[in-house]
Amino acid sequence: GWVLRNVGMCAQAARAARCKGVCFDVEPYGGWGPWAYGKSSPGHVKQPHAEDKSFAEFQEVVRKRGAQFISRLQEELPDLVIHTFFLNSGLPDVLAESDPEKREEMLEKEFYGLLPAFLNGMLDAVAPGTVIHDGNECSYYYTEPLHFYHGYHFVHRTALSLVDPSLHDKYRSHVRCAHALIGGNQCNMRTFRTTSTHLTPEERARFV
């Protein structure tokens, strides 16, 4: 449909510009979230057909869409790089739960609850040369080297619990942690206080 046509046009533009790949921002900017099955919080609405289709049925369709999405990109871009700001790393509360059944119950209520299914779909169809970056957006707020160390292992190990076990080898081969930095945090340019608020300009330069 029109979504895959648009994905194809983006890939063609990236190829024409000699880009390595595309940046895929999974974060919705508005009241409706495409990754939310149920009403996850005030102001957010349920998916259409959530009343008559189960969460598992939604996951199945979303997984197919993930495979279609990456397949269309790979048609245009060999050795594709897909950069995201977060994937499974955006679900720390769910990842902290060790019981698989409880994790599924939590996902059903999460704003990003369908995102792991989309990633599974991408891994279903991933080509040998493709790399997928989990940007670990939480690293915006890291302040010391140990945080980055733990974040790396969070993406490469902990996040596997939301990946289909049959795809674990593909995840290890194709998914990379790509720690994020946000200049506003390091340079005291946010509308709220951060670590850099208390630093001199010289200290902020070293902090970056």
Side-chain angles (χ1 to χ4, degrees), residues 130-151:
T130 294
V131 174
I132 303 169
H133 288 163
D134 183 323
N136 187 27
E137 194 172 85
C138 293
S139 62
Y140 285 170
Y141 307 100
Y142 291 173
T143 56
E144 53 188 78
L146 188 60
H147 295 162
F148 289 93
Y149 174 82
H150 288 315

Side-chain angles (χ1 to χ4, degrees), residues 1-195:
W2 64 268
V3 173
L4 287 180
R5 285 197 298 273
N6 287 348
V7 170
M9 285 191 291
C10 288
Q12 289 164 3
R15 185 183 62 189
R18 299 183 182 179
C19 297
K20 287 288 294 180
V22 298
C23 180
F24 177 43
D25 188 354
V26 304
E27 185 176 357
Y29 298 90
W32 181 77
W35 311 110
Y37 169 70
K39 188 174 182 179
S40 55
S41 61
H44 295 138
V45 298
K46 289 184 177 182
Q47 287 278 1
H49 308 295
E51 300 291 350
D52 49 274
K53 300 291 183 182
S54 69
F55 183 58
E57 288 176 302
F58 265 81
Q59 286 176 307
E60 183 179 354
V61 173
V62 170
R63 183 166 176 167
K64 290 178 181 177
R65 298 294 177 258
Q68 291 172 325
F69 169 77
I70 198 170
S71 295
R72 185 66 189 93
L73 291 172
Q74 289 171 161
E75 287 174 13
E76 304 290 344
L77 295 164
D79 298 326
L80 168 69
V81 175
I82 300 177
H83 180 73
T84 73
F85 300 122
F86 59 88
L87 289 168
N88 289 353
S89 67
L91 292 158
D93 292 340
V94 181
L95 290 167
E97 175 54 61
S98 59
D99 187 322
E101 291 186 7
K102 290 182 179 178
R103 281 202 301 269
E104 283 298 303
E105 292 174 4
M106 293 173 71
L107 280 177
E108 189 170 331
K109 300 173 185 177
E110 280 282 341
F111 189 63
Y112 291 101
L114 289 166
L115 184 56
F118 193 85
L119 173 58
N120 282 335
M122 288 200 292
L123 293 172
D124 283 332
V126 69
T130 294
V131 174
I132 303 169
H133 288 163
D134 183 323
N136 187 27
E137 194 172 85
C138 293
S139 62
Y140 285 170
Y141 307 100
Y142 291 173
T143 56
E144 53 188 78
L146 188 60
H147 295 162
F148 289 93
Y149 174 82
H150 288 315
Y152 173 88
H153 288 287
F154 184 73
V155 168
H156 282 278
R157 295 181 182 176
T158 308
L160 270 173
S161 64
L162 293 179
V163 174
D164 184 328
S166 69
L167 296 170
H168 280 192
D169 285 344
K170 281 190 172 183
Y171 183 94
R172 294 187 185 100
S173 297
H174 294 276
V175 177
R176 300 285 182 271
C177 178
H179 287 313
L181 296 175
I182 183 168
N185 279 10
Q186 278 74 37
C187 299
N188 192 33
M189 297 173 66
R190 304 301 295 274
T191 57
F192 52 86
R193 287 179 173 270
T194 67
T195 300

